[in-house]
Amino acid sequence: MLLIKCPICDCEGDETDFHYGGEGHIQRPTSSNPDKVGDEAQRDYLYVRKNPRGLHSERWLCERGCGKWFHALRDTATMVISKTYLITDKPPAELKKAGKK
Amino acid sequence: MQKYSIFTLARNAANYHKGWGLAWRSPEPKSEYDIVIIGAGGHGLATAYYLAKRHNLTNVAVVEKGWLGGGNTGRNTTIIRSNYLQDESAAIYELSRSLYEGLAQELNYNVMFSPRGLFMLCMTEHELRGFKRHAHANRLSGIESRMVSAEEVKRKIPILNVSPTARYPLLGALYQPRGGTARHDAVAWGYARGADNLGVDILQNCAVTGITRRGGKVTGIDTVKGHIKAKKVAIVTAGSTTLLGDMAGLKLPIESVTLQACVSEPIKPVLDVVIMAGTVHGYMSQSDKGELVIGGGADEYNNYSQRGSFPAIEHTITSLAELFPIIRRLKMLRQWAGIVDMTGDRSPIIGKTDVDGLYLNCGWGTGGFKSIPGSGLVFADTIANDRPHPIAEPFGLNRFAEGRLIDESIAAGVAH
Amino acid sequence: MSGKPYRIPSSRSQGAFGRLIDRDAALSFTFDDKTYTGFKGDTLASALLANGVRLFGRSFKYHRPRGVIAAGPEEPNALVSVGSGATHEPNNRITDVELYDGLVATSQNRWPSLAFDVSAINNTFSRLIPSGFYYKTFMWPAKLWPHYEHIIRHAAGLGTAPQEEDEAVYEQVHVNCDVLIAGGGIAGLAAALAAAEVGARVIIADLSPRFGGAADCIDGKIDSAAPLAWAKKAVKKLAAMDNVYILPRTTVTGHYDHNWVLMCERLSDHISEADRLANRPRHRLWKVRAKKVIVATGAFERPLTFANNDRPGVMLASAARSYATRYGVTPGERAVIFTNNDDAYLTALTLQDAGVSVPKIIDVREDTKSALISRAEDAGIEIIHSSVISNVETSFGGTSIEGVQIATRTATGRLAQPFARIECDLVCMSGGWNPAVHLFAHVNGSVRFDDTLQTFRPDQTSEAIVAIGAANGHFDLSTTIDESFDKGYAAGKSATGKSRPKKAVPPKARQDERSPLEALWFAPAKGSLNEGNKHFIDFQNDVTAADIELAAREGYRSVEHLKRYTTLGMATDQGKTSNISALGILADTLNTTIPAAGATRFRPPFTPFSLGSIAGTQAKHLFQPVRRTPIATWHHDNNCDMEPVGLWRRPFCYRHGTEDRQAAITREILATREKAGIIDLSSLGKIEVKGPDAGVFLDRIYSNVFSTLKPGRCRYGLMMNEDGFLFDDGVTVRLAEDHFLMHTTSGNADRIVGWLEEWHQTEWPDLKLFITPVTENYTQFAVAGPHSRDILQKLESTIDFSREAFTPLDYKSGELCGVPVRIYRISFSGELSYEISVPANYGLAMWQALMVAGKEFGLTAYGTEPLHVMRAEKGFIAIGDETDGTVTPLDLDLGWAVSKKKVDYIGKRSLQRSFLKGDERKEMVGLLTDDPKEVLPDGCYAVEQLLDKPPMKMIGHVSSSYYSPTLNRSIAFGLIKNGRARMGDTLQFPLEDKVVSAKVVSPVFYDSEGERQNA
Amino acid sequence: MPDLDRNLALSHRHQEMENQALGIEMSERDDVGMIDLRGKADDKAFMKNAATVLGVELPTDPRTSIKKGGIDILWLSIDQWLITTPLKSHDKTLSALTKKLTKNHALVCDMSDARSIIRLSGDRVREVLIKGCSFDATQPDFKPGTVRRLLFAEVAALAHFVDSNPDVIDLYVFRSYANYVWEWLLQTAHEDAGVGLFQVQDAPVV
Ligand SMILES: Cc1cc2nc3c(=O)[nH]c(=O)nc-3n(C[C@H](O)[C@H](O)[C@H](O)COP(=O)(O)OP(=O)(O)OC[C@H]3O[C@@H](n4cnc5c(N)ncnc54)[C@H](O)[C@@H]3O)c2cc1C
Ligand SMILES: NC(=O)c1ccc[n+]([C@@H]2O[C@H](COP(=O)([O-])OP(=O)(O)OC[C@H]3O[C@@H](n4cnc5c(N)ncnc54)[C@H](O)[C@@H]3O)[C@@H](O)[C@H]2O)c1
Ligand SMILES: Cc1cc2nc3c(=O)[nH]c(=O)nc-3n(C[C@H](O)[C@H](O)[C@H](O)COP(=O)(O)O)c2cc1C
Ligand SMILES: [Zn+2]
């Protein structure tokens, strides 16, 4: 049972007080370029996921706190949550590093 | 192959069973194989078996990072059924189910396929309508499956709570008389023994660390025991598919999550059929050894830990305790989890990839034990002939770009 | 049976024996219908042993007679059912059952009786049924398998499930603490004292009814006190602190990610049934989030592996000691000790002190020296070194022991030459100790093999968890005390930031040094019989040493294969006594070492615990919330058939008198069409969206346009998911320029609030708006039918309901009967209709006022089913019927509501994918059966071509189907491949017993011009 | 004043309380109106206008509340507050707020009928709360003024710590769930079901 802390309201609680929203930082192609999105780009957006074994950036909703979405960096093998940050923040550096490995 | 039968058993008994040989060898890897299958789960082993048996391809290795059958094949709740709604699904699951009927004889290994009947309970009008649709579709595709009344369900499952004041009154069930269970480990072991006997090398404790390619074509694999050349490579690694896909540069519509299960202590028979209850997300059967085998939901977050969080299993047990009030005084003996590979439409992927000579069989998610024989058969055919078997064809990777999803979530809720 | 010979007199050794029992409080209980007497403080095991009972159960496979081998939760053999009727509970270890007056215990897995069990014949045929025999046989002929299986199923299983429903209540609690300590032995108590001293919030739980663990069974001193005396003081001190919570009868069952711990507390199982309080929970499941977890769960003694080591009367040495010490029970009169370590010498001394004759200690080791061994020698006990017990001699039927054979210890595999026979009725064995590492290992905790202990002990972990004392492999009291205080302080400090107070002086302990243990994994028996003899490893599942060798011979060599092939460690004790011994034998067989073979995975729970406690309070009438609309009491009083929709209960129809459902539905429809009807729509989702960008936002959410809607007007909208599939619909109202009110389907209401928030926060955070769900604040009714206007006009209101002033799709707010209301002129039934939204607390009174006003117009309450029929007559889709997650708005011919102009909205791009815009789509059409009385079954399929028998190619299915009382014929919708191109065609629907044909028509069956709703 | 009767979610249960053997006291509050207020805490004009009407600044610390006159302002999020008002002055407060905030980016919603407020009081209230939610209500930092959203008995709820000695906690649940939560409390708050956490205890047997 993960213990999660919201970076916005500091609410700390069980994973059941939060709601998981899947991989973070997925760009919705039609938001920026509605007319020129190929089938493959749309597929990648809808279905293709990094699904790494290790550091994963993901979205969580602070359901029993402030009701806001935020990002977390979690290791999918150890479950360690190393960082939480705002939903509007850019991907942190350690995520890029992990991706390169 | 040493034949298994009551006679050989009796003969060996005289000698205190000292005469039994290995069910499978533990060979050293050769430097090259025609075909390498990554993953010695049920699907990988069945594929190897059918390659050898039906296509005479025996220069084949199944490469396994741990012990064979140790993935989801060795930890699932063993439900077998084929009453799926979509034509494509019904075709492959029914092929598979029918192969289960003769599997013990085919493999000379008793996999204890037990078609004792499977009930999918309907507890809301909406669910009832959905299952009626299943029953009609199944009947027209030639699958034995029908709706039964609440009274009939109660007759078959006396311990079910059908009180009119129950939270969800029972409205009936979708019944597949020849759905049931099999002994999961035996399926892996039987295929392993069969494949090994036909000359396939099963390489355990041999994790794959890389997939080598040249010019868009696969050339072999790197393993902890060194490089192995191969003309064709098939990835059949369930929850680990993304990691293998990354080695070959595949972009995959897959997420790995933990799916949970538990067993009660063994008790004398109380449940002779398999039940699934979508509205309350629970399913249960009783094994031949006596435990109630209980399948739970999946945790929502990506997870490679092979252990789950408590709420999912709690949710399931809470529901089952409502459906079967007598279980409240029984005890949970063990809980565990497996890493399942969920695709964008929750249906499997079987077929070729963009890399020449690289094949993929994955995405069985929460429900691929039942499909092991059928999937092995059509996948072997696909690899041997380098084109999708007709039953496998709809399950190609390309469907995600086309939007041609195969979505089974319609009424069942749970997909086991 | 008086039980006299087995209960040690209170006078013996100044009352040293039986410290937990109250000899003045006799309790009466039954085992297999026979009545016995025990004492308060007894366990069922000690009470039965005191009565001379030795046979408690039959083994799983061979039905061998079994006694009890342990005194705690590791017991594999002695499982019984306790209670009867609604309190019947199978598979209880008699070692853990506390005796109460009137306790009813029943043996299991035997027929017709425990003493004479027909299935014991299995033992005779055991050679035919080694591990995995079922994989090799029962295959021919295939059709007989179900019969074989039936027999196997009935032979397997342990106890029986209860027949009656459990009346007990269960509950759960959630708490956080700084330090959670599992196990209240010396180690756990010491750590608790230390952590509490620095001010940490400490919870300490022990599965037994008492604290102190092994303190009463060990030698040594803590400071100057005996361990037990020290433990008593420690517990008193802890109980007086308000930052410590002590939980007896509470098993820590599992450790989960991020130090979340599950514990099961048993509150009433030890109380006689008559005295149990109905409202006191039977079990309470604790969910604890701890900053630090300390595992102080002690260790389990290992049995030794020799022929017939499962006979009743063979027991763990520490168990025999604790029966004597705690309950004043001697499990035999003449005991032989068989050991590979010093600890069992304490048992020898204790038993002798208790009056048991202890002729010999058989020690595997060569002549070893230690203080304990000298004490045994001094007490006159003969020690036979370098020897083993090679076999056990029993009475006929194997239910009691008559003697043991002693042989010189040989290398594994070689046969034994017994050189002596010793008469005895009790064998106390000790093969060393296995730390209870379970909890440590549940999450990522690794274990390492310790050569000295010849077992696994805790190693690395990523969690904030430590093991101490015997659980950490420390069997020396002084190390245990030092370590436990150290780690207790450290845990307290890491949780609270506070260090150990300067003046605190942890105690010092000392204990005589022990000589090291020597591993022995197998003691062979004599001659060729050896192979037929049974050396049990896993007692409950009847796994023998030979089975392990067989598995290895056949290639099931990974420990996990071994486990699954032989079922080793899979019984209710989860291998607490057997796993390491099995590994020893596997390693010997494969010529490797135990660490190379590895251990199987530890999984929760530590010991099995009730499924009832997992359901907790969420059972029976509290299983799941039922959501009630404000009109619920009226529905109830008016014989309404309620239908579950999500968590809601919605009115399905109201049955008058003897009406059946169909008659009620017909009546309600005709009344609404001809006069007026009223329906409770309270559960429909209502969401307010307000802000300057609200219109833009809704344009992106819905497939049609909302920014152009005029204030005071309503518009029907469609929502797709990003895949392009339709998933909700509803009417949105523009309350003001910057203020909208959305309606959603009942089932999706909560989901859509989340959906909107997620899109707003994560994709378009720059849009200025607020989203607030208001579903619960309003009751909503539709008043529909030709007289609906008349009824509303009859009531006092500030709203002008006239045809001219209040036109279709208008929205007005004002007062009705003095209550502020919002009214929308929208219609799902196809009739002139007003949806009235009333503050929930006035809902019931408003409903009643409408009923009164409507009486003269024939106003009739109608349910969701009549509504569904009416909407189908009108050709309106219903989410969940016409949609199933694979259907696009275009498939449903709702293209008019799918904007081509808007640049981007959810689902737009996906609709353009080849398969979604392809020419093979299933399209919604109307279906009229050739026979108007024939109602197509829901979900039946049309086929391309009718064949004699399946398979037939299907081209689509019926998504809604009703008998329409309005049209006096059946109507249906179908989703048919290229349906719109098939207008006028007749389709065939093969059913089980007949084929129904139906014509493809427009899906609007009634009032296609909309004259009625626009009236 | 409306001509119609007002029925609260639990009106039909008020009678039965006499025969209950509970370890706490519980009742439904029937004298409050509620307003859901949305606006951004960093929007100075909005904050100021709201404060003008309410006579006190909106609380911005998470999980806190402020009391002013008969009004309680409960923090719900960084852009949301729940204002409870005495029923008799409710309409006045509501229209004053609405009016004052017309020019601001804000949403004022009357939510008087959306929730049911169950008042729990007595020394064992915290023990009852921890039976229903994963939040540990026995922690010392849960004190008067604290507001906490919960999943209580699988139902979305809100706990407002009103007073201590003895503890008074208002449990807010959506109206349709009130009856279920009430039933749930009747069982778990039974006087025989006490927990007695973190108090001086009798020493267990050794
Ligand atoms: C709890 C649970 C309950 C389930 N219940 C059911 C059910 O009732 N009915 C049903 O039909 N299905 C069920 N399933 C699903 C079913 O178990 C799986 O779909 C099926 O077993 C998948 O088989 P597989 O052969 O594809 O994968 P697996 O059996 O998982 O085999 C994959 C193998 O690949 C190996 N591997 C991974 N990475 C590497 C590498 N780098 N190198 C070499 N080898 C590697 C793994 O070690 C593993 O042995 C359940 C699953 C779970 C977890
Ligand atoms: N000879 C023996 O009988 C024996 C056995 C174990 C320890 N010792 C010695 O006693 C001293 C102290 O030992 P210790 O305190 O480490 O062990 P202990 O055996 O004295 O205490 C462990 C306690 O943990 C409890 N426990 C075990 N699993 C539990 C669970 N999952 N949940 C709740 N409670 C659980 C047990 O009931 C027991 O009371 C050490 O010096 C050790 O060498 C002796
Ligand atoms: C159908 C089935 C029945 C099982 N029955 C038992 C059982 O009787 N006893 C037991 O200890 N475990 C049982 N298990 C669980 C296994 O012990 C094990 O937990 C599971 O296969 C996952 O492996 P792991 O725990 O080693 O990761 C069963 C598993 C399955 C799939
Ligand atoms: Zn938050």
Coordinates of all heavy atoms in Angstrom, one line a residue, chain D residues 3 9 15 26 43-44 46 50 54 63-64 78 81 91 97 103 105 107 112 116 121 140 155 168 171 191 201 205:
Chain D
D3 N -43.7 27.0 1.0 CA -44.9 26.4 1.6 C -44.7 24.9 1.8 O -45.6 24.2 2.4 CB -46.1 26.5 0.6 CG -46.1 27.8 -0.1 OD1 -45.6 28.8 0.5 OD2 -46.7 27.9 -1.2
A9 N -32.0 14.3 4.8 CA -31.7 12.9 4.4 C -32.0 11.9 5.5 O -32.4 10.7 5.3 CB -30.3 12.8 4.0
Q15 N -36.1 9.4 15.1 CA -36.8 8.7 16.2 C -36.0 7.6 17.0 O -36.1 7.5 18.2 CB -38.1 8.0 15.6 CG -39.1 9.0 15.0 CD -39.6 9.9 16.1 OE1 -40.0 9.5 17.2 NE2 -39.6 11.2 15.7
M26 N -24.7 10.7 18.4 CA -24.7 11.2 17.0 C -26.1 11.7 16.7 O -27.1 11.3 17.2 CB -24.3 10.1 16.1 CG -25.1 8.8 16.1 SD -24.2 7.6 15.1 CE -25.5 7.0 14.0
D43 N -5.9 35.0 -6.1 CA -6.6 36.1 -6.8 C -7.0 37.1 -5.7 O -8.0 36.9 -4.9 CB -7.9 35.5 -7.5 CG -8.8 36.6 -8.1 OD1 -8.6 37.8 -7.8 OD2 -9.7 36.2 -8.8
K44 N -6.2 38.2 -5.6 CA -6.3 39.1 -4.4 C -7.7 39.7 -4.3 O -8.3 39.8 -3.2 CB -5.3 40.2 -4.5 CG -3.9 39.6 -4.1 CD -3.0 40.7 -3.6 CE -1.6 40.2 -3.5 NZ -0.7 40.4 -4.7
F46 N -10.6 38.7 -5.5 CA -11.5 37.7 -5.0 C -11.5 37.4 -3.5 O -12.5 37.5 -2.8 CB -11.3 36.3 -5.8 CG -11.9 35.2 -5.1 CD1 -13.3 34.9 -5.2 CD2 -11.1 34.3 -4.3 CE1 -13.8 33.8 -4.5 CE2 -11.6 33.2 -3.7 CZ -13.0 33.0 -3.8
A50 N -14.5 38.3 -0.9 CA -15.1 37.2 -0.1 C -14.9 37.6 1.4 O -15.9 37.4 2.2 CB -14.4 35.9 -0.4
L54 N -17.8 37.9 4.3 CA -17.9 37.0 5.4 C -17.3 37.5 6.7 O -17.4 36.9 7.7 CB -17.1 35.7 5.0 CG -17.6 35.0 3.7 CD1 -16.6 34.0 3.2 CD2 -19.0 34.3 4.1
R63 N -6.5 22.0 5.0 CA -7.2 21.3 6.1 C -7.4 22.1 7.3 O -7.4 21.6 8.4 CB -6.4 20.0 6.4 CG -6.3 19.0 5.3 CD -5.4 17.8 5.5 NE -4.0 18.2 5.5 CZ -3.3 18.5 4.5 NH1 -3.8 18.4 3.3 NH2 -2.0 18.9 4.6
T64 N -7.7 23.4 7.1 CA -8.0 24.2 8.3 C -9.4 24.8 8.1 O -10.0 24.7 7.0 CB -7.0 25.3 8.5 OG1 -7.0 26.2 7.4 CG2 -5.6 24.8 8.8
I78 N -7.2 24.5 -2.9 CA -6.5 25.8 -3.1 C -7.5 26.7 -3.8 O -7.2 27.9 -3.9 CB -5.2 25.6 -3.9 CG1 -5.5 24.7 -5.1 CG2 -4.1 25.0 -3.0 CD1 -4.3 24.7 -6.0
W81 N -13.8 26.4 -1.1 CA -14.2 26.5 0.4 C -15.6 26.0 0.5 O -16.4 26.2 -0.3 CB -14.0 27.9 0.9 CG -12.6 28.4 0.9 CD1 -11.7 28.4 2.0 CD2 -11.9 28.9 -0.2 NE1 -10.5 28.8 1.6 CE2 -10.5 29.2 0.3 CE3 -12.2 29.2 -1.5 CZ2 -9.5 29.7 -0.5 CZ3 -11.2 29.7 -2.3 CH2 -9.9 30.0 -1.8
D91 N -29.8 32.7 3.2 CA -30.1 33.3 1.9 C -29.4 34.7 1.8 O -28.9 35.1 0.7 CB -31.6 33.5 1.7 CG -32.3 32.1 1.5 OD1 -31.5 31.1 1.4 OD2 -33.5 32.1 1.5
L97 N -22.8 37.2 -1.1 CA -21.6 36.7 -1.7 C -21.7 36.7 -3.3 O -20.8 37.1 -4.0 CB -21.4 35.2 -1.3 CG -20.3 34.9 -0.3 CD1 -20.2 33.4 -0.1 CD2 -18.9 35.5 -0.6
K103 N -18.1 40.2 -10.3 CA -17.0 40.7 -11.2 C -15.8 39.8 -11.1 O -14.9 39.9 -11.9 CB -16.7 42.1 -10.9 CG -17.8 43.1 -11.2 CD -17.4 44.0 -12.3 CE -18.6 44.8 -12.9 NZ -19.4 45.5 -12.0
H105 N -13.5 36.2 -10.9 CA -13.6 34.8 -11.4 C -13.9 33.9 -10.2 O -13.0 33.5 -9.5 CB -12.3 34.4 -12.1 CG -12.3 33.0 -12.6 ND1 -13.4 32.4 -13.1 CD2 -11.3 32.1 -12.6 CE1 -13.1 31.1 -13.4 NE2 -11.8 30.9 -13.1
L107 N -17.2 31.1 -8.3 CA -18.4 30.4 -8.5 C -19.0 30.2 -7.1 O -18.3 29.7 -6.1 CB -18.2 29.0 -9.1 CG -19.4 28.0 -9.2 CD1 -20.6 28.6 -9.9 CD2 -18.9 26.7 -9.9
S112 N -26.8 23.7 0.1 CA -27.4 23.4 1.4 C -28.0 22.1 1.5 O -28.2 21.5 2.5 CB -28.5 24.5 1.7 OG -27.9 25.7 1.8
S116 N -25.4 15.8 4.0 CA -26.0 15.6 5.3 C -24.8 15.7 6.3 O -23.7 15.2 6.0 CB -26.6 14.2 5.3 OG -27.1 13.9 6.4
S121 N -20.2 13.0 18.8 CA -19.5 13.6 19.9 C -19.3 12.6 21.0 O -20.1 11.6 21.1 CB -20.3 14.8 20.4 OG -21.6 14.6 20.6
P140 N -2.3 13.2 17.3 CA -2.5 14.4 18.0 C -2.8 15.7 17.1 O -3.4 16.6 17.6 CB -1.2 14.6 18.8 CG -0.4 13.3 18.6 CD -1.1 12.5 17.5
V155 N -17.3 5.8 1.2 CA -18.1 6.9 0.8 C -17.3 8.2 0.9 O -16.6 8.4 1.9 CB -19.4 7.0 1.7 CG1 -20.1 8.3 1.4 CG2 -20.3 5.8 1.5
V168 N -16.0 16.8 19.4 CA -17.2 17.0 18.6 C -16.7 17.0 17.1 O -15.9 17.9 16.8 CB -17.9 18.3 18.9 CG1 -19.1 18.4 18.0 CG2 -18.4 18.2 20.4
L171 N -19.4 15.0 10.5 CA -19.1 14.2 9.4 C -20.0 14.6 8.3 O -21.2 14.5 8.4 CB -19.2 12.7 9.8 CG -18.8 11.7 8.8 CD1 -17.3 11.8 8.6 CD2 -19.2 10.3 9.3
E191 N -21.4 0.5 21.8 CA -20.6 0.6 23.0 C -19.7 -0.7 23.3 O -18.7 -0.6 24.0 CB -21.4 0.9 24.3 CG -22.5 -0.2 24.6 CD -23.3 0.2 25.8 OE1 -23.2 1.3 26.3 OE2 -24.1 -0.7 26.2
Q201 N -3.4 1.0 29.8 CA -4.2 -0.2 29.7 C -3.9 -1.1 30.9 O -2.9 -0.9 31.6 CB -3.7 -1.1 28.5 CG -3.6 -0.5 27.2 CD -2.9 -1.4 26.2 OE1 -1.8 -1.1 25.7 NE2 -3.6 -2.5 25.8
V205 N -1.6 -10.6 30.1 CA -0.9 -11.8 30.8 C 0.5 -11.9 30.2 O 0.7 -11.6 29.0 CB -1.7 -13.0 30.4 CG1 -1.1 -14.3 31.1 CG2 -3.1 -12.9 30.9

